[in-house]
Amino acid sequence: MSKYLELKSVSKKYQQQNKEELVLKNVNFSVKKGELAAILGPSGCGKSTLLKLIAGFIKTDQGIISKEGRIIRGPGLDRIMLFQDFEQLFPWLTVLNNIIFALKASRKTEKNSFNFWPGQFRQDLKLLAKEYLAKVKLSQYQDYYPHQLSGGMKQRVALARTLAVQGEIMLMDEPFASLDSQTRQDLQQLLSDLQLNNSRTILFVTHDIREAVFLADKIIVLKDNPGEVISVLANNLPYPRQRSSEQFNQLSEKITSLF
Ligand code: ADP
Ligand code: MG
């Protein structure tokens, strides 16, 4: 299945002070199942808008977005979003319960009630939540509340939550952008390692060229005013990716020269 997620001639306008502003113009690209595609571009070029369109939170003005040949018309549990914001956890739930809550919400029964859940299933969800907390190396913090954690730790919990839910498509909007550079590199490594073992379909928005080169199988490069795709590059650098390697730097420079 080559065209798992597909955008065809997608345009989006926003109403800004009595005039319409074209934010995304004629965007075309596709993403394969299990591929990590980076959406790379300067601040304000429409990256978040693009993710919101794919999430179904907002509608296109022109063009279509489809998954497995079916047009996306609104939000769905098949697409899960991870934001940049450190405050995306529920402050009144512990770290572990934040993940369990998301797992429950993503597996709602038709009766739409958590009370129908058998005990065994609750245990399974707890185990799953613990497994993903271990992956982000936060097991010993499972009973902490978000306010007791650093920004980087909160972002690790949010990442664990997103990965545990196992939505078919993960939409990540600059999830590591607010982190210090060491934490950012650690989380990039973690995500890359997890992708090697169990590849998910991920759209990863970033304005950081080297982050895109480190993580992505495919890099979709956008310019601004209006947001337009200027290049789609395959990234075939071998794993584990070495940030200091010649190939890594060559690809980074090639992308820099596009702007
Ligand atoms: P990016 O994520 O690449 O920084 P955005 O998608 O957030 O870009 O925004 C692209 C452009 O659209 C910006 O100029 C922004 O100000 C504008 N914009 C974003 N959301 C809205 C909105 N809801 N209404 C009007 N303009 C918006
Ligand atoms: Mg944005």
Side-chain angles (χ1 to χ4, degrees), residues 13-23 225:
K13 291 177 198 145
Y14 281 127
Q15 196 71 33
Q16 284 174 341
Q17 285 134 19
N18 301 328
K19 63 178 173 74
E20 286 201 320
E21 179 113 6
L22 185 61
V23 175
N225 284 321

Side-chain angles (χ1 to χ4, degrees), residues 14-16 21 23 41-50 52 173-174 205 225:
Y14 281 127
Q15 196 71 33
Q16 284 174 341
E21 179 113 6
V23 175
S43 176
C45 75
K47 303 182 296 298
S48 294
T49 301
L50 199 50
K52 286 178 205 162
D173 195 356
E174 309 210 37
V205 160
N225 284 321

Side-chain angles (χ1 to χ4, degrees), residues 25-37:
K25 185 180 168 189
N26 192 28
V27 172
N28 293 284
F29 65 82
S30 62
V31 176
K32 291 181 197 157
K33 194 167 188 167
E35 193 167 54
L36 193 159

Side-chain angles (χ1 to χ4, degrees), residues 48-155:
S48 294
T49 301
L50 199 50
L51 277 200
K52 286 178 205 162
L53 287 166
I54 297 168
F57 297 155
I58 55 176
K59 296 198 186 313
T60 61
D61 289 307
Q62 271 172 33
I64 54 168
I65 303 176
S66 59
K67 193 189 111 197
E68 294 179 300
R70 257 171 260 135
I71 295 176
I72 289 173
R73 298 188 192 279
L77 290 173
D78 58 333
R79 284 153 284 139
I80 173 163
M81 195 117 163
L82 173 63
F83 299 94
Q84 174 177 357
D85 187 0
F86 288 163
E87 309 308 328
Q88 55 187 309
L89 303 173
F90 293 121
W92 61 89
L93 292 178
T94 63
V95 161
L96 189 66
N97 284 333
N98 259 283
I99 302 179
I100 293 174
F101 182 89
L103 288 171
K104 285 181 180 175
S106 69
R107 289 162 168 74
K108 269 190 213 168
T109 63
E110 276 157 20
K111 294 190 173 99
N112 210 17
S113 164
F114 298 147
N115 298 328
F116 286 96
W117 289 47
Q120 179 57 44
F121 205 51
R122 284 172 198 269
Q123 276 313 109
D124 291 347
L125 291 189
K126 192 169 181 182
L127 280 180
L128 189 61
K130 285 187 170 189
E131 182 190 326
Y132 278 87
L133 215 45
K135 285 190 203 289
V136 298
K137 302 183 178 64
L138 284 177
S139 296
Q140 65 270 46
Y141 295 94
Q142 67 168 47
D143 298 323
Y144 282 53
Y145 286 87
H147 74 90
Q148 297 171 304
L149 306 178
S150 71
M153 290 158 88
K154 283 189 257 197
Q155 207 57 350

